[in-house]
Amino acid sequence: MELTPKQIVANLDAHIIGQADAKRAVAVAVRNRWRRQQLHAEVAKDVYPKNILMQGPTGVGKTEIARRLAALVNAPFVKVEATKFTEVGYHGRDVEGMIRDLLEVAIQMVSLEFSSKISEQATTATEERILDLLLPRPYGAGASAAEETPGAESPLASYERTRQRMRERLRAGELEEQTVEVSTEHKPDMAGMFGSAGMELTPDMMNMFDRIIPTRRESKRLPIREARKLLTTQEGEKMLNKDEIIAIAIKRTEDSGIVFLDEIDKIAGSGKTDGPDVSRQGVQRDLLPIVEGSTVTTKHGMVRTDHILFIAAGAFHSADPEDLMAELQGRFPIRVELSPLGKEDLVRILREPKHSLINQQVELLRTEDVALTFTADAIDAIAGVAFEVNRKKQDIGARRLNTIIERVLEELNFEASEGTIKSFTIDAGYVKRRLRGLVEDKLINRA
């Protein structure tokens, strides 16, 4: 059974402070996917996801909600900045590329799941490969009994006895530094080569290059401890059914994929027919069929976007959601507004999440055998300075806390590896000394 909306919100609460409306909206959207899958196929095909538009300043949790949600429900997820589509010419990057990227994420997810199921078999096969490299089967080891010398040990029996001794040494870790020759094969990354030149290959072009470019084979000598990883990957790939993986990945992309469209406010035009708005309107027109539901061609097959969940987000400081094309607005029926973070919110962000910034710093210094402690008034002081800098300069929300904490711990992080500090307590006085003058205009830019 899939997670209920309340369970989803509870899990998000463990990592993200506040923004209850946004959490409830995404929780219901995900639960509706499960509900659709329980319907008869004829009904389910006409039940489309309720895409979500999040409006709120930077650093308040928009991206984190979407990212945590995808991890929570084990769904393929990609984050795309809408401004990327306006960088070249009128339309810039192909908007269908985000669906191709989403499918690649799904393929990786499914491949890892399959790999975990065959890990034991792959490990066994890798051991045999290493033994073959250490002790190649000798000519005549398979000779028939009629050809063997009476009373003498057969070549095969001698070989197997030696191989078993080698296996025992291998398992005992005695041969880790011994080198073996490993063969690898790969093809050039055509997408990367053309991408660096500002070109984007279509799926048909990718398939064409895949057919005509030969596979490059290389041999190199590696110690067994390194060769084992490479050989395990090779053996695992042999056991995987790539066609089955791709089929499952396409279905998972279509049924549970999540695309997070960030900075969508940057492509909201004012309706002008010339200047930058032409590019913005063009991007919106290109996005519309993808969000509405269309078929995207990939090198692995066709992907329907009808039931992919799109979550768009933007600060909308100088634009308004109504500045988007009416048709595109209609494809995001759920709108939630995220609140700016106050000082108390910043205090909670430092204290409450499962892996809060404070806990991260404590654990990082624990690796240096330093016991780090933050007093309550220190946390309050850090939050207070972050709030003031946000208020006086530019409000970047919780992201400001990272810079403030790094400034506070800069000296301690530098000295911690020397072994002279065993414990350290950070109180409000220490925070104020480390951050003295930070809220002055000339220093705000550094934060």
Side-chain angles (χ1 to χ4, degrees):
M1 176 108 176
E2 294 287 325
L3 294 172
T4 66
K6 285 187 177 181
Q7 290 171 329
I8 292 172
V9 169
N11 276 276
L12 292 176
D13 283 342
H15 301 281
I16 304 163
I17 297 301
Q19 314 302 357
D21 289 346
K23 292 175 182 175
R24 288 170 64 93
V26 297
V28 171
V30 168
R31 183 62 179 186
N32 278 339
R33 290 179 147 189
W34 177 83
R35 292 166 179 161
R36 185 183 72 84
Q37 292 169 6
Q38 314 312 307
L39 301 175
H40 189 276
E42 284 298 312
V43 179
K45 69 179 183 180
D46 292 327
V47 177
Y48 298 103
K50 303 297 188 295
N51 297 321
I52 300 167
L53 177 62
M54 295 183 182
Q55 179 179 358
T58 184
V60 297
K62 301 186 294 294
T63 305
E64 190 67 5
I65 287 173
R67 187 175 67 84
R68 292 282 181 183
L69 178 73
L72 186 61
V73 299
N74 194 31
F77 171 81
V78 292
K79 176 189 173 185
V80 183
E81 294 179 0
T83 49
K84 292 290 185 185
F85 302 130
T86 63
E87 288 183 350
V88 181
Y90 277 150
H91 302 293
R93 184 181 171 193
D94 177 11
V95 296
E96 292 184 348
M98 62 186 177
I99 304 301
R100 298 186 189 109
D101 292 343
L102 187 65
L103 176 58
E104 292 297 334
V105 171
I107 290 173
Q108 291 178 14
M109 290 176 64
V110 177
S111 295
L112 285 173
E113 292 169 8
F114 273 61
S115 296
S116 65
K117 295 177 183 178
I118 62 168
S119 60
E120 188 174 337
Q121 299 98 301
T123 300
T124 301
T126 298
E127 183 180 86
E128 297 302 322
R129 280 277 303 277
I130 293 174
L131 289 171
D132 288 340
L133 294 170
L134 289 170
L135 194 66
R137 187 176 295 274
Y139 177 77
S144 64
E147 298 172 329
E148 295 172 3
T149 304
E153 184 180 42
S154 69
L156 179 59
S158 176
Y159 170 79
E160 291 298 344
R161 183 163 49 82
T162 305
R163 186 182 177 95
Q164 182 57 34
R165 287 200 300 268
M166 191 74 75
R167 187 191 307 276
E168 291 170 0
R169 293 184 63 195
L170 183 64
R171 291 178 176 177
E174 298 176 6
L175 305 176
E176 292 299 284
E177 298 305 319
Q178 187 163 333
T179 61
V180 292
E181 188 169 314
V182 181
S183 297
T184 62
E185 56 181 44
H186 61 87
K187 289 189 176 183
D189 180 13
M190 301 307 299
M193 291 170 59
F194 281 87
S196 63
M199 300 172 60
E200 187 163 341
L201 295 179
T202 65
D204 289 339
M205 293 172 67
M206 289 288 291
N207 288 331
M208 179 187 71
F209 281 121
D210 193 53
R211 289 193 300 270
I212 65 176
I213 295 178
T215 299
R216 182 182 300 173
R217 290 178 173 81
E218 296 178 352
S219 295
K220 50 186 174 182
R221 295 198 67 83
L222 296 171
I224 287 175
R225 57 183 168 77
E226 294 181 17
R228 183 180 286 105
K229 300 174 185 177
L230 181 59
L231 293 172
T232 301
T233 300
Q234 291 179 355
E235 292 301 317
E237 288 177 350
K238 291 179 186 177
M239 299 176 185
L240 294 177
N241 184 331
K242 292 185 179 179
D243 291 337
E244 183 182 3
I245 288 173
I246 289 172
I248 293 173
I250 288 176
K251 181 169 177 54
R252 186 174 297 185
T253 300
E254 294 178 335
D255 290 343
S256 61
I258 299 175
V259 174
F260 183 76
L261 271 171
D262 201 9
E263 296 187 347
I264 197 168
D265 55 317
K266 303 294 176 57
I267 63 167
S270 58
K272 297 178 182 178
T273 57
D274 56 4
D277 280 358
V278 177
S279 176
R280 296 169 186 160
Q281 290 285 329
V283 173
Q284 291 184 59
R285 285 193 296 271
D286 288 349
L287 282 172
L288 185 58
I290 305 295
V291 180
E292 282 184 331
S294 60
T295 301
V296 174
T297 303
T298 78
K299 66 179 181 180
H300 302 293
M302 312 296 282
V303 177
R304 293 288 306 174
T305 67
D306 303 67
H307 299 290
I308 292 174
L309 177 64
F310 291 87
I311 301 176
F316 290 98
H317 290 312
S318 57
D320 193 86
E322 278 65 37
D323 291 328
L324 294 167
M325 291 171 54
E327 297 89 343
L328 192 58
Q329 290 182 49
R331 297 310 300 174
F332 291 91
I334 308 299
R335 296 189 188 180
V336 290
E337 189 164 349
L338 285 80
S339 306
L341 300 176
K343 180 186 171 183
E344 288 307 312
D345 295 314
L346 296 174
V347 170
R348 292 183 62 199
I349 288 170
L350 289 171
R351 285 178 174 167
E352 297 179 17
K354 186 176 181 181
H355 301 298
S356 68
L357 292 175
I358 294 296
N359 289 338
Q360 291 175 30
Q361 296 299 324
V362 169
E363 293 302 319
L364 283 171
L365 285 175
R366 196 189 304 277
T367 64
E368 304 278 9
D369 296 323
V370 176
L372 178 64
T373 304
F374 286 81
T375 63
D377 61 355
I379 294 175
D380 189 74
I382 291 171
V385 173
F387 177 75
E388 283 300 311
V389 176
N390 276 344
R391 185 176 64 85
K392 289 193 173 185
K393 180 60 177 176
Q394 181 181 10
D395 190 350
I396 60 172
R399 292 188 178 94
R400 186 74 69 185
L401 292 171
N402 287 290
T403 307
I404 300 298
I405 289 177
E406 286 302 317
R407 181 72 68 89
V408 170
L409 295 178
E410 184 178 25
E411 185 176 340
L412 179 59
N413 280 328
F414 185 79
E415 298 291 342
S417 304
E418 301 303 316
T420 58
I421 303 173
K422 295 302 180 185
S423 63
F424 199 90
T425 298
I426 293 178
D427 57 18
Y430 183 81
V431 171
K432 290 174 183 177
R433 289 193 298 274
R434 293 293 305 159
L435 300 179
R436 184 176 292 118
L438 186 64
V439 293
E440 295 176 4
D441 290 345
K442 64 180 180 181
L443 293 176
I444 286 177
N445 285 327
R446 301 180 191 175

